[in-house]
PDB file of all heavy atoms in Angstrom:
ATOM      1  N   LYS B 339      66.100-136.561-140.434  1.00 97.00           N
ATOM      2  CA  LYS B 339      66.784-135.279-140.291  1.00 97.00           C
ATOM      3  C   LYS B 339      68.236-135.478-139.872  1.00 97.00           C
ATOM      4  O   LYS B 339      69.160-134.872-140.452  1.00 97.00           O
ATOM      5  CB  LYS B 339      66.056-134.398-139.283  1.00 97.00           C
ATOM      6  CG  LYS B 339      66.689-133.022-139.113  1.00 97.00           C
ATOM      7  CD  LYS B 339      65.935-132.171-138.100  1.00 97.00           C
ATOM      8  CE  LYS B 339      66.624-130.816-137.928  1.00 97.00           C
ATOM      9  NZ  LYS B 339      65.926-129.969-136.911  1.00 97.00           N
ATOM     10  N   ALA B 340      68.434-136.332-138.869  1.00 96.00           N
ATOM     11  CA  ALA B 340      69.799-136.602-138.391  1.00 96.00           C
ATOM     12  C   ALA B 340      70.622-137.265-139.487  1.00 96.00           C
ATOM     13  O   ALA B 340      71.819-136.971-139.659  1.00 96.00           O
ATOM     14  CB  ALA B 340      69.753-137.485-137.149  1.00 96.00           C
ATOM     15  N   ILE B 341      69.997-138.146-140.259  1.00 97.00           N
ATOM     16  CA  ILE B 341      70.702-138.834-141.342  1.00 97.00           C
ATOM     17  C   ILE B 341      71.135-137.845-142.425  1.00 97.00           C
ATOM     18  O   ILE B 341      72.278-137.905-142.922  1.00 97.00           O
ATOM     19  CB  ILE B 341      69.812-139.943-141.931  1.00 97.00           C
ATOM     20  CG1 ILE B 341      69.692-141.087-140.930  1.00 97.00           C
ATOM     21  CG2 ILE B 341      70.361-140.444-143.261  1.00 97.00           C
ATOM     22  CD1 ILE B 341      68.651-142.115-141.293  1.00 97.00           C
ATOM     23  N   ALA B 342      70.243-136.930-142.780  1.00 97.00           N
ATOM     24  CA  ALA B 342      70.581-135.930-143.801  1.00 97.00           C
ATOM     25  C   ALA B 342      71.770-135.089-143.353  1.00 97.00           C
ATOM     26  O   ALA B 342      72.675-134.779-144.157  1.00 97.00           O
ATOM     27  CB  ALA B 342      69.369-135.040-144.075  1.00 97.00           C
ATOM     28  N   GLU B 343      71.797-134.726-142.093  1.00 97.00           N
ATOM     29  CA  GLU B 343      72.911-133.931-141.570  1.00 97.00           C
ATOM     30  C   GLU B 343      74.207-134.731-141.614  1.00 97.00           C
ATOM     31  O   GLU B 343      75.272-134.198-141.966  1.00 97.00           O
ATOM     32  CB  GLU B 343      72.605-133.481-140.145  1.00 97.00           C
ATOM     33  CG  GLU B 343      71.471-132.457-140.057  1.00 97.00           C
ATOM     34  CD  GLU B 343      71.066-132.151-138.620  1.00 97.00           C
ATOM     35  OE1 GLU B 343      71.597-132.836-137.703  1.00 97.00           O
ATOM     36  OE2 GLU B 343      70.233-131.252-138.414  1.00 97.00           O
ATOM     37  N   ARG B 344      74.131-136.011-141.256  1.00 97.00           N
ATOM     38  CA  ARG B 344      75.328-136.860-141.280  1.00 97.00           C
ATOM     39  C   ARG B 344      75.835-137.044-142.711  1.00 97.00           C
ATOM     40  O   ARG B 344      77.041-137.018-142.961  1.00 97.00           O
ATOM     41  CB  ARG B 344      75.013-138.229-140.666  1.00 97.00           C
ATOM     42  CG  ARG B 344      74.952-138.234-139.151  1.00 97.00           C
ATOM     43  CD  ARG B 344      75.127-139.642-138.641  1.00 97.00           C
ATOM     44  NE  ARG B 344      75.056-139.710-137.189  1.00 97.00           N
ATOM     45  CZ  ARG B 344      75.606-140.663-136.453  1.00 97.00           C
ATOM     46  NH1 ARG B 344      76.284-141.634-137.059  1.00 97.00           N
ATOM     47  NH2 ARG B 344      75.496-140.670-135.152  1.00 97.00           N
ATOM     48  N   ILE B 345      74.918-137.267-143.628  1.00 98.00           N
ATOM     49  CA  ILE B 345      75.318-137.456-145.025  1.00 98.00           C
ATOM     50  C   ILE B 345      76.003-136.205-145.565  1.00 98.00           C
ATOM     51  O   ILE B 345      77.034-136.291-146.258  1.00 98.00           O
ATOM     52  CB  ILE B 345      74.099-137.853-145.878  1.00 98.00           C
ATOM     53  CG1 ILE B 345      73.676-139.287-145.547  1.00 98.00           C
ATOM     54  CG2 ILE B 345      74.412-137.724-147.372  1.00 98.00           C
ATOM     55  CD1 ILE B 345      72.400-139.740-146.236  1.00 98.00           C
ATOM     56  N   ALA B 346      75.444-135.035-145.233  1.00 98.00           N
ATOM     57  CA  ALA B 346      76.059-133.779-145.680  1.00 98.00           C
ATOM     58  C   ALA B 346      77.471-133.655-145.128  1.00 98.00           C
ATOM     59  O   ALA B 346      78.402-133.234-145.841  1.00 98.00           O
ATOM     60  CB  ALA B 346      75.202-132.598-145.240  1.00 98.00           C
ATOM     61  N   LEU B 347      77.649-134.023-143.880  1.00 97.00           N
ATOM     62  CA  LEU B 347      78.975-133.970-143.259  1.00 97.00           C
ATOM     63  C   LEU B 347      79.924-134.958-143.930  1.00 97.00           C
ATOM     64  O   LEU B 347      81.090-134.623-144.210  1.00 97.00           O
ATOM     65  CB  LEU B 347      78.857-134.267-141.760  1.00 97.00           C
ATOM     66  CG  LEU B 347      80.157-134.251-140.948  1.00 97.00           C
ATOM     67  CD1 LEU B 347      80.826-132.873-141.019  1.00 97.00           C
ATOM     68  CD2 LEU B 347      79.891-134.636-139.498  1.00 97.00           C
ATOM     69  N   LEU B 348      79.434-136.156-144.204  1.00 97.00           N
ATOM     70  CA  LEU B 348      80.272-137.171-144.859  1.00 97.00           C
ATOM     71  C   LEU B 348      80.668-136.759-146.274  1.00 97.00           C
ATOM     72  O   LEU B 348      81.806-136.993-146.698  1.00 97.00           O
ATOM     73  CB  LEU B 348      79.527-138.512-144.890  1.00 97.00           C
ATOM     74  CG  LEU B 348      79.394-139.237-143.553  1.00 97.00           C
ATOM     75  CD1 LEU B 348      78.430-140.409-143.685  1.00 97.00           C
ATOM     76  CD2 LEU B 348      80.761-139.709-143.060  1.00 97.00           C
ATOM     77  N   GLU B 349      79.752-136.140-146.997  1.00 97.00           N
ATOM     78  CA  GLU B 349      80.063-135.670-148.342  1.00 97.00           C
ATOM     79  C   GLU B 349      81.140-134.585-148.294  1.00 97.00           C
ATOM     80  O   GLU B 349      82.051-134.581-149.142  1.00 97.00           O
ATOM     81  CB  GLU B 349      78.791-135.142-149.018  1.00 97.00           C
ATOM     82  CG  GLU B 349      77.824-136.255-149.408  1.00 97.00           C
ATOM     83  CD  GLU B 349      76.490-135.737-149.929  1.00 97.00           C
ATOM     84  OE1 GLU B 349      76.157-134.558-149.638  1.00 97.00           O
ATOM     85  OE2 GLU B 349      75.778-136.494-150.618  1.00 97.00           O
ATOM     86  N   ALA B 350      81.067-133.715-147.296  1.00 96.00           N
ATOM     87  CA  ALA B 350      82.096-132.686-147.139  1.00 96.00           C
ATOM     88  C   ALA B 350      83.445-133.321-146.808  1.00 96.00           C
ATOM     89  O   ALA B 350      84.488-132.925-147.352  1.00 96.00           O
ATOM     90  CB  ALA B 350      81.675-131.697-146.051  1.00 96.00           C
ATOM     91  N   GLN B 351      83.431-134.318-145.922  1.00 95.00           N
ATOM     92  CA  GLN B 351      84.676-135.007-145.554  1.00 95.00           C
ATOM     93  C   GLN B 351      85.246-135.754-146.761  1.00 95.00           C
ATOM     94  O   GLN B 351      86.466-135.801-146.949  1.00 95.00           O
ATOM     95  CB  GLN B 351      84.403-135.982-144.400  1.00 95.00           C
ATOM     96  CG  GLN B 351      84.112-135.301-143.071  1.00 95.00           C
ATOM     97  CD  GLN B 351      83.730-136.310-141.986  1.00 95.00           C
ATOM     98  OE1 GLN B 351      83.334-137.438-142.281  1.00 95.00           O
ATOM     99  NE2 GLN B 351      83.842-135.887-140.733  1.00 95.00           N
ATOM    100  N   SER B 352      84.362-136.310-147.573  1.00 96.00           N
ATOM    101  CA  SER B 352      84.813-137.035-148.768  1.00 96.00           C
ATOM    102  C   SER B 352      85.516-136.085-149.736  1.00 96.00           C
ATOM    103  O   SER B 352      86.569-136.413-150.302  1.00 96.00           O
ATOM    104  CB  SER B 352      83.615-137.710-149.441  1.00 96.00           C
ATOM    105  OG  SER B 352      84.022-138.373-150.619  1.00 96.00           O
ATOM    106  N   ARG B 353      84.932-134.896-149.936  1.00 94.00           N
ATOM    107  CA  ARG B 353      85.559-133.902-150.836  1.00 94.00           C
ATOM    108  C   ARG B 353      86.910-133.455-150.298  1.00 94.00           C
ATOM    109  O   ARG B 353      87.882-133.344-151.048  1.00 94.00           O
ATOM    110  CB  ARG B 353      84.620-132.707-151.005  1.00 94.00           C
ATOM    111  CG  ARG B 353      83.379-133.002-151.853  1.00 94.00           C
ATOM    112  CD  ARG B 353      82.660-131.717-152.234  1.00 94.00           C
ATOM    113  NE  ARG B 353      82.147-131.005-151.064  1.00 94.00           N
ATOM    114  CZ  ARG B 353      80.938-131.214-150.538  1.00 94.00           C
ATOM    115  NH1 ARG B 353      80.128-132.136-151.051  1.00 94.00           N
ATOM    116  NH2 ARG B 353      80.536-130.505-149.495  1.00 94.00           N
ATOM    117  N   GLU B 354      86.967-133.217-148.996  1.00 94.00           N
ATOM    118  CA  GLU B 354      88.233-132.783-148.387  1.00 94.00           C
ATOM    119  C   GLU B 354      89.295-133.865-148.550  1.00 94.00           C
ATOM    120  O   GLU B 354      90.461-133.563-148.841  1.00 94.00           O
ATOM    121  CB  GLU B 354      88.009-132.481-146.908  1.00 94.00           C
ATOM    122  CG  GLU B 354      87.183-131.226-146.640  1.00 94.00           C
ATOM    123  CD  GLU B 354      86.830-131.066-145.171  1.00 94.00           C
ATOM    124  OE1 GLU B 354      87.320-131.894-144.357  1.00 94.00           O
ATOM    125  OE2 GLU B 354      86.073-130.144-144.830  1.00 94.00           O
ATOM    126  N   ALA B 355      88.888-135.110-148.342  1.00 92.00           N
ATOM    127  CA  ALA B 355      89.848-136.212-148.486  1.00 92.00           C
ATOM    128  C   ALA B 355      90.337-136.326-149.916  1.00 92.00           C
ATOM    129  O   ALA B 355      91.532-136.559-150.181  1.00 92.00           O
ATOM    130  CB  ALA B 355      89.212-137.524-148.029  1.00 92.00           C
ATOM    131  N   ALA B 356      89.415-136.147-150.877  1.00 89.00           N
ATOM    132  CA  ALA B 356      89.793-136.212-152.299  1.00 89.00           C
ATOM    133  C   ALA B 356      90.740-135.088-152.661  1.00 89.00           C
ATOM    134  O   ALA B 356      91.724-135.290-153.403  1.00 89.00           O
ATOM    135  CB  ALA B 356      88.534-136.151-153.158  1.00 89.00           C
ATOM    136  N   GLN B 357      90.465-133.882-152.159  1.00 89.00           N
ATOM    137  CA  GLN B 357      91.350-132.749-152.428  1.00 89.00           C
ATOM    138  C   GLN B 357      92.723-132.950-151.850  1.00 89.00           C
ATOM    139  O   GLN B 357      93.741-132.652-152.448  1.00 89.00           O
ATOM    140  CB  GLN B 357      90.708-131.479-151.875  1.00 89.00           C
ATOM    141  CG  GLN B 357      89.470-131.003-152.637  1.00 89.00           C
ATOM    142  CD  GLN B 357      88.728-129.887-151.946  1.00 89.00           C
ATOM    143  OE1 GLN B 357      89.133-129.443-150.873  1.00 89.00           O
ATOM    144  NE2 GLN B 357      87.629-129.423-152.562  1.00 89.00           N
ATOM    145  N   ALA B 358      92.745-133.518-150.604  1.00 86.00           N
ATOM    146  CA  ALA B 358      94.029-133.756-149.951  1.00 86.00           C
ATOM    147  C   ALA B 358      94.846-134.784-150.746  1.00 86.00           C
ATOM    148  O   ALA B 358      96.057-134.655-150.929  1.00 86.00           O
ATOM    149  CB  ALA B 358      93.801-134.241-148.525  1.00 86.00           C
ATOM    150  N   LYS B 359      94.159-135.825-151.215  1.00 79.00           N
ATOM    151  CA  LYS B 359      94.829-136.867-151.993  1.00 79.00           C
ATOM    152  C   LYS B 359      95.336-136.300-153.313  1.00 79.00           C
ATOM    153  O   LYS B 359      96.459-136.605-153.751  1.00 79.00           O
ATOM    154  CB  LYS B 359      93.845-138.005-152.267  1.00 79.00           C
ATOM    155  CG  LYS B 359      94.462-139.174-153.007  1.00 79.00           C
ATOM    156  CD  LYS B 359      93.452-140.280-153.220  1.00 79.00           C
ATOM    157  CE  LYS B 359      94.070-141.427-154.005  1.00 79.00           C
ATOM    158  NZ  LYS B 359      93.106-142.523-154.235  1.00 79.00           N
ATOM    159  N   SER B 360      94.528-135.435-153.937  1.00 75.00           N
ATOM    160  CA  SER B 360      94.933-134.812-155.222  1.00 75.00           C
ATOM    161  C   SER B 360      96.142-133.938-155.015  1.00 75.00           C
ATOM    162  O   SER B 360      97.068-133.906-155.852  1.00 75.00           O
ATOM    163  CB  SER B 360      93.767-133.993-155.780  1.00 75.00           C
ATOM    164  OG  SER B 360      94.148-133.311-156.945  1.00 75.00           O
ATOM    165  N   GLY B 361      96.189-133.214-153.898  1.00 70.00           N
ATOM    166  CA  GLY B 361      97.312-132.337-153.618  1.00 70.00           C
ATOM    167  C   GLY B 361      98.591-133.125-153.415  1.00 70.00           C
ATOM    168  O   GLY B 361      99.687-132.696-153.814  1.00 70.00           O
ATOM    169  N   LEU B 362      98.479-134.312-152.792  1.00 69.00           N
ATOM    170  CA  LEU B 362      99.662-135.140-152.551  1.00 69.00           C
ATOM    171  C   LEU B 362     100.179-135.739-153.851  1.00 69.00           C
ATOM    172  O   LEU B 362     101.374-136.017-153.982  1.00 69.00           O
ATOM    173  CB  LEU B 362      99.307-136.286-151.564  1.00 69.00           C
ATOM    174  CG  LEU B 362      99.085-135.848-150.115  1.00 69.00           C
ATOM    175  CD1 LEU B 362      98.577-137.032-149.284  1.00 69.00           C
ATOM    176  CD2 LEU B 362     100.373-135.301-149.495  1.00 69.00           C
ATOM    177  N   GLU B 363      99.286-135.968-154.797  1.00 65.00           N
ATOM    178  CA  GLU B 363      99.711-136.617-156.051  1.00 65.00           C
ATOM    179  C   GLU B 363     100.351-135.635-157.026  1.00 65.00           C
ATOM    180  O   GLU B 363     100.939-136.050-158.033  1.00 65.00           O
ATOM    181  CB  GLU B 363      98.470-137.262-156.699  1.00 65.00           C
ATOM    182  CG  GLU B 363      97.988-138.498-155.927  1.00 65.00           C
ATOM    183  CD  GLU B 363      96.707-139.049-156.503  1.00 65.00           C
ATOM    184  OE1 GLU B 363      96.119-138.380-157.394  1.00 65.00           O
ATOM    185  OE2 GLU B 363      96.290-140.149-156.078  1.00 65.00           O
ATOM    186  N   ARG B 364     100.203-134.349-156.814  1.00 60.00           N
ATOM    187  CA  ARG B 364     100.801-133.350-157.737  1.00 60.00           C
ATOM    188  C   ARG B 364     102.309-133.249-157.538  1.00 60.00           C
ATOM    189  O   ARG B 364     102.841-133.435-156.464  1.00 60.00           O
ATOM    190  CB  ARG B 364     100.172-131.990-157.509  1.00 60.00           C
ATOM    191  CG  ARG B 364      98.730-131.928-158.009  1.00 60.00           C
ATOM    192  CD  ARG B 364      98.113-130.599-157.710  1.00 60.00           C
ATOM    193  NE  ARG B 364      96.708-130.570-158.121  1.00 60.00           N
ATOM    194  CZ  ARG B 364      95.894-129.556-157.890  1.00 60.00           C
ATOM    195  NH1 ARG B 364      96.332-128.474-157.246  1.00 60.00           N
ATOM    196  NH2 ARG B 364      94.630-129.616-158.271  1.00 60.00           N
TER     197      ARG B 364
END
């Protein structure tokens, strides 16, 4: 249960990081 919650959080952080990187490259 704790692992699933952590993975969900990490996936959200990964998307945010990707969006931030995409915004900087425009």
Side-chain angles (χ1 to χ4, degrees):
K339 182 180 178 181
I341 289 170
E343 291 173 354
R344 283 200 181 204
I345 288 174
L347 180 60
L348 288 170
E349 288 173 340
Q351 290 175 340
S352 178
R353 288 193 297 271
E354 290 172 5
Q357 290 171 0
K359 183 179 178 180
S360 176
L362 288 173
E363 289 175 352
R364 289 177 183 175

